[in-house]
């Protein structure tokens, strides 16, 4: 990949990409080995179950999320976080609207290729 973001990101002016289905994505920082992304969920939006090769940690900034990892569902609220191992099936529903911070290792190449 051989990419990296600027050292500083201004959250007020950084692009927020509409990725459909009531979801928007803002890149916070990345290099080949690590990526942080802010995901905005509209009320009722669904991050459909999927799996990928990357390790992921998700932190709930605001809202309530019904988060599923490998068939186990839990309700997550602000301040909660979860670890998703590589290739684990996972997804989330957000009945309230909310914001997540997702971190990935290595970086999600597909997020950068879509630009």
């Amino acid at each position: 990949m051989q990419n990296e973001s600027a050292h500083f990101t201004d959250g007020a002016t950084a692009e927020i990409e509409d990725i459909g289905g009531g979801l928007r994505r803002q890149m916070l920082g990345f290099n080949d080995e690590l990526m942080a992304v802010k995901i905005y969920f509209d009320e009722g939006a669904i991050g459909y179950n999927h799996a990928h090769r990357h390790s992921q940690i998700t932190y709930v900034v605001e809202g309530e999320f019904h988060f599923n990892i490998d068939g186990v569902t839990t309700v997550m609220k602000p301040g909660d976080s979860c670890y998703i191992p590589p290739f684990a099936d996972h997804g989330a529903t957000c009945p309230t609207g909310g914001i997540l911070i997702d971190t990935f290792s290595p970086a999600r190449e597909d997020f950068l290729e879509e630009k």
Side-chain angles (χ1 to χ4, degrees), residues 2 6 16 21 24 31 45 70 73 83 95 97 105:
Q2 299 301 322
I16 299 174
R24 290 164 292 149
N31 67 11
D70 279 340
T73 301
Y83 164 67
S105 179

Side-chain angles (χ1 to χ4, degrees), residues 4-88:
E4 73 178 23
S5 64
H7 290 183
F8 300 98
T9 300
D10 178 352
T13 61
E15 176 187 3
I16 299 174
E17 176 186 8
D18 186 340
I19 55 176
L23 302 172
R24 290 164 292 149
R25 175 171 60 211
Q26 184 179 41
M27 303 299 285
L28 300 178
F30 63 90
N31 67 11
D32 291 341
E33 299 165 1
L34 182 66
M35 175 179 279
V37 181
K38 191 175 207 179
I39 308 291
Y40 299 84
F41 281 68
D42 290 344
E43 183 177 327
I46 299 171
Y48 289 98
N49 276 34
H50 63 286
H52 45 73
R53 70 181 185 93
H54 311 82
S55 295
Q56 178 177 339
I57 295 175
T58 295
Y59 175 80
V60 179
V61 176
E62 68 181 54
E64 178 181 297
F65 290 84
H66 298 192
F67 219 96
N68 174 344
I69 303 172
D70 279 340
V72 176
T73 301
T74 191
V75 175
M76 295 176 56
K77 296 184 178 184
D80 294 344
S81 61
C82 62
Y83 164 67
I84 303 161
F87 304 106

